Amino acid sequence: MNRIQIRLVLVLGMLLALAQAGMAQEAFRPIVLNFEGEVEIQRAVTAVKARVDLRAREALFPGDTITTGRNGRLVLGLPDGSQAVIAPKTTVRIEQLDSNPRTLFHLLKGKTRVQIEKLGGQPNPYRVNTPTTVIAIRGTIFDVAVDQEQTEVFLLEGEVEVSTPSFPQQLLRLTAGQSTSVPRHR
């Protein structure tokens, strides 16, 4: 092979790698499985937020903010079968899902139920953030509620680890039936 052919092979290889990386990121993008009632999605477009017309199978992007009204409800789905139900009067911001562990969303206020499927019987590394907590998910079902005073985590099945952004190394491990409350100012 001459130099031009070698360069062409290298360029094509880099383009293929970039395309595969883009598809890998796309694979972790949450989608709207279904919704009812008053639901709004704000999409960050450069420095401006734009409202998105909501429809089933709509892909969501990092920075998108979901707000449900008093009768609104939305179900997010992930390619691995995991789901999150966003309850009425709730606001969540979609986070980057291409890191490890993947941060699903930041629950700003309201309630959500999260069901994360295990991968091949092993824990599936997701996180959910709130103003006062970081919840490391290990393949489980749990509820999270955020109000002006605190974040409450109640574990229905599986295992989660709860920490605070200020002290991420101090973990509280919850098992099925356990719960914790973390005050906003602590």
Side-chain angles (χ1 to χ4, degrees):
M1 273 200 227
N2 64 33
R3 282 188 193 182
I4 293 174
Q5 290 172 322
I6 292 172
R7 284 185 182 170
L8 183 59
V9 168
L10 289 174
V11 168
L12 289 174
M14 288 187 334
L15 289 174
L16 180 62
L18 288 172
Q20 288 174 336
M23 288 187 295
Q25 289 177 3
E26 184 75 24
F28 292 114
R29 186 157 291 143
I31 62 169
V32 175
L33 291 179
N34 62 55
F35 64 94
E36 59 189 41
E38 188 179 340
V39 178
E40 180 178 279
I41 295 179
Q42 292 285 324
R43 177 151 298 148
V45 181
T46 61
V48 179
K49 287 266 192 181
R51 188 176 185 278
V52 174
D53 289 331
L54 190 61
R55 60 184 188 271
R57 311 305 294 171
E58 175 79 30
L60 299 175
F61 299 88
D64 285 358
T65 301
I66 301 166
T67 304
T68 57
R70 63 184 180 94
N71 66 346
R73 181 179 164 276
L74 181 137
V75 180
L76 286 179
L78 296 170
D80 64 8
S82 299
Q83 295 184 1
V85 178
I86 312 301
K89 299 193 291 186
T90 297
T91 302
V92 300
R93 184 180 61 240
I94 301 298
E95 297 292 337
Q96 289 286 356
L97 286 171
D98 56 358
S99 59
N100 191 12
R102 298 181 294 271
T103 300
L104 182 55
F105 54 75
H106 189 103
L107 176 60
L108 300 167
K109 70 174 186 175
K111 297 177 183 177
T112 185
R113 173 166 285 178
V114 180
Q115 178 178 343
I116 301 296
E117 297 297 325
K118 290 191 175 196
L119 286 175
Q122 298 300 312
N124 195 347
Y126 281 100
R127 288 182 191 223
V128 170
N129 295 337
T130 75
T132 61
T133 62
V134 175
I135 304 164
I137 307 163
R138 303 291 178 245
T140 190
I141 301 173
F142 67 100
D143 293 333
V144 182
V146 174
D147 63 27
Q148 292 179 341
E149 302 297 321
Q150 64 189 356
T151 295
E152 294 181 281
V153 181
F154 179 78
L155 187 63
L156 293 130
E157 179 180 302
E159 183 178 294
V160 297
E161 293 174 341
V162 180
S163 64
T164 65
S166 304
F167 300 100
Q169 68 281 6
Q170 294 180 359
L171 301 173
L172 173 61
R173 183 170 293 186
L174 299 179
T175 57
Q178 293 182 319
S179 65
T180 189
S181 293
V182 180
R184 186 175 284 266
H185 303 292
R186 193 177 287 182

